[in-house]
Amino acid sequence: MFVLNYFFCVLLFISRTNSMYIQRINDAQLVPQINTNYHIITNSTCEKCLCQLISSFTALNCFPNNTCQLFQSISQYSKIQISLQTRFYFRPISTPGFCLSSNISLLINKIENGTRISIPEINFQQFIEDNQNFLVTINVDTFELIRYSTENLTMIDNMTFDQSPVAIGFANDAYFIVLTNGSIIIVDSYNLTVLNTMDFENVNGTGDIMFLENGEIMVITCPNENLILFFQQMDISPLNYTFAYSLTTNYSNPQTLKYVNNSFFHVIPLMSNTIYSYAAIDNGTEWIENIFLDLTLTTDNSTVTSMIIDRYGRYWIAFDSPTILIFDEKGHEIGNLTIPNANIANIFMTNNSVMYFSDRQANETQTIRLDPHIGC
């Protein structure tokens, strides 16, 4: 559901363009969230941008300075705020029940039979998708940040560091790269320039990094210390954070972080088949730790190597094997996806269900893209 902040009356118009109904809100704009993918077009009329919206996008902000912001998808947590002389256009949004991706059996079939692209891979660590629709990863062997096209997996550009990167996050239009020495390099996502370098005494042996509250809270795991660290944003220019508080886990080696919402997230320990959940108490600094999913019996003690949560709250979990298990939000297994002759170590899914896999076979390591051609 969209959150509308009404300061005065906002009028909704319905336009019919090229036999397609487009809805418009005057004096309003969609505010992008951290995981929202959008494209910026400058020196263009709103009419030209509407053609782009009709062809391949879901929503559009038309600003008075001849700049457009096109969105591939809209998060259910997105906000619309008042913005004078700005127009917000969007396609009528269907309920999830009418989208093919809501049916897990049909979705699995579409993915398994989707259009496949693969490229050789050299020890990539993580995948994220940024605000320019790039697929971004880090390479621990070559000390690189690398950006790929999400359409065909061609390399766009790269950036090299003086130490090996161990984790990458994205917030405030910037990449946050954690190096082996604990330094966090903040890089502008538009021009790959370094905005700031942060060093914290308690960041040691980092496992993963994520953000809460639209980038205001930075969260880091330290497996060696059994700690989850929280940092508060202090400055915007340059971006800077200060240590706020920490949580000590009741298990060893907290590694991978998975955002659900600002008051709930998951942690997957290193070399483990148990997934933990953390729920905030009154949106404060106290969190309740629970076991969310114990896969000991389900997977014959195989350890979890990657997990994603799709827009319907389903959990897709990889175990360095050909089969990915799928669970509902209550932890019940509801299906599985198999990539023949592959050992899937890492997985990533876009909002339109395009999937990316890291295949770690002994004789061939590759990144695979499977497009089920689902438009919603």
Side-chain angles (χ1 to χ4, degrees), residues 78-363:
S78 295
K79 294 182 180 180
I80 299 175
Q81 71 179 23
I82 300 303
S83 179
L84 296 180
Q85 299 182 15
T86 298
R87 287 172 288 172
F88 170 52
Y89 293 87
F90 59 100
R91 296 185 185 188
I93 301 172
S94 301
T95 59
F98 292 100
C99 182
L100 175 63
S101 62
S102 65
N103 184 306
I104 191 62
S105 297
L106 291 175
L107 176 59
I108 291 170
N109 180 265
K110 281 285 188 179
I111 293 172
E112 290 180 335
N113 294 283
T115 302
R116 176 169 174 154
I117 298 173
S118 60
I119 60 169
E121 171 199 305
I122 305 174
N123 197 17
F124 99 86
Q125 189 76 6
Q126 294 172 278
F127 271 145
I128 62 170
E129 192 173 13
D130 68 7
N131 56 344
Q132 299 174 82
N133 200 33
F134 291 146
L135 196 66
V136 187
T137 186
I138 51 176
N139 190 310
V140 299
D141 291 334
T142 60
F143 297 8
E144 289 178 292
L145 175 149
I146 310 173
R147 305 198 291 188
Y148 295 96
S149 163
T150 54
E151 296 299 320
N152 53 24
L153 290 181
T154 57
M155 192 178 87
I156 304 298
D157 52 21
N158 66 333
M159 180 179 184
T160 304
F161 306 99
D162 59 2
Q163 293 197 36
S164 179
V166 294
I168 182 172
F170 185 78
N172 300 309
D173 294 334
Y175 309 120
F176 289 69
I177 299 94
V178 187
L179 304 181
T180 51
N181 65 353
S183 294
I184 302 173
I185 311 296
I186 306 177
V187 177
D188 190 307
S189 65
Y190 291 103
N191 53 30
L192 294 187
T193 58
V194 175
L195 300 174
N196 196 10
T197 299
M198 301 185 297
D199 292 287
F200 302 100
E201 291 182 359
N202 51 358
V203 176
N204 179 28
T206 301
D208 202 1
I209 181 172
M210 75 171 186
F211 293 87
L212 307 174
E213 302 289 350
N214 290 331
E216 293 184 9
I217 303 295
M218 180 174 68
V219 186
I220 291 176
T221 52
C222 294
N224 296 341
E225 307 293 334
N226 298 337
L227 289 175
I228 304 173
L229 308 178
F230 294 78
F231 300 82
Q232 177 70 51
Q233 182 179 327
M234 296 297 293
D235 299 298
I236 297 177
S237 183
L239 281 169
N240 198 22
Y241 290 75
T242 186
F243 175 72
Y245 63 96
S246 65
L247 298 178
T248 301
T249 62
N250 293 309
Y251 53 89
S252 300
N253 303 317
Q255 176 80 8
T256 305
L257 291 160
K258 287 298 173 184
Y259 173 90
V260 179
N261 57 51
N262 290 326
S263 58
F264 191 81
F265 65 89
H266 293 289
V267 175
I268 306 172
L270 186 65
M271 300 298 292
S272 173
N273 48 27
T274 302
I275 299 168
Y276 293 84
S277 66
Y278 288 83
I281 301 176
D282 297 327
N283 293 321
T285 59
E286 295 185 33
W287 297 77
I288 298 176
E289 175 191 298
N290 281 305
I291 294 177
F292 172 74
L293 200 56
D294 187 347
L295 299 169
T296 304
L297 298 178
T298 306
T299 62
D300 297 325
N301 290 321
S302 298
T303 59
V304 176
T305 57
S306 182
M307 181 181 80
I308 58 172
I309 307 170
D310 69 18
R311 61 176 176 160
Y312 296 99
R314 298 175 299 218
Y315 292 72
W316 303 60
I317 304 175
F319 304 90
D320 205 9
S321 70
T323 300
I324 296 165
L325 300 184
I326 307 167
F327 299 83
D328 64 18
E329 59 187 5
K330 295 181 180 180
H332 301 135
E333 186 175 350
I334 57 174
N336 63 78
L337 170 69
T338 298
I339 310 299
N341 303 314
N343 288 329
I344 303 302
N346 291 281
I347 49 178
F348 179 79
M349 177 187 284
T350 64
N351 284 332
N352 58 350
S353 301
V354 177
M355 293 200 72
Y356 301 84
F357 309 89
S358 173
D359 177 14
R360 300 287 184 85
Q361 297 184 75
N363 59 342

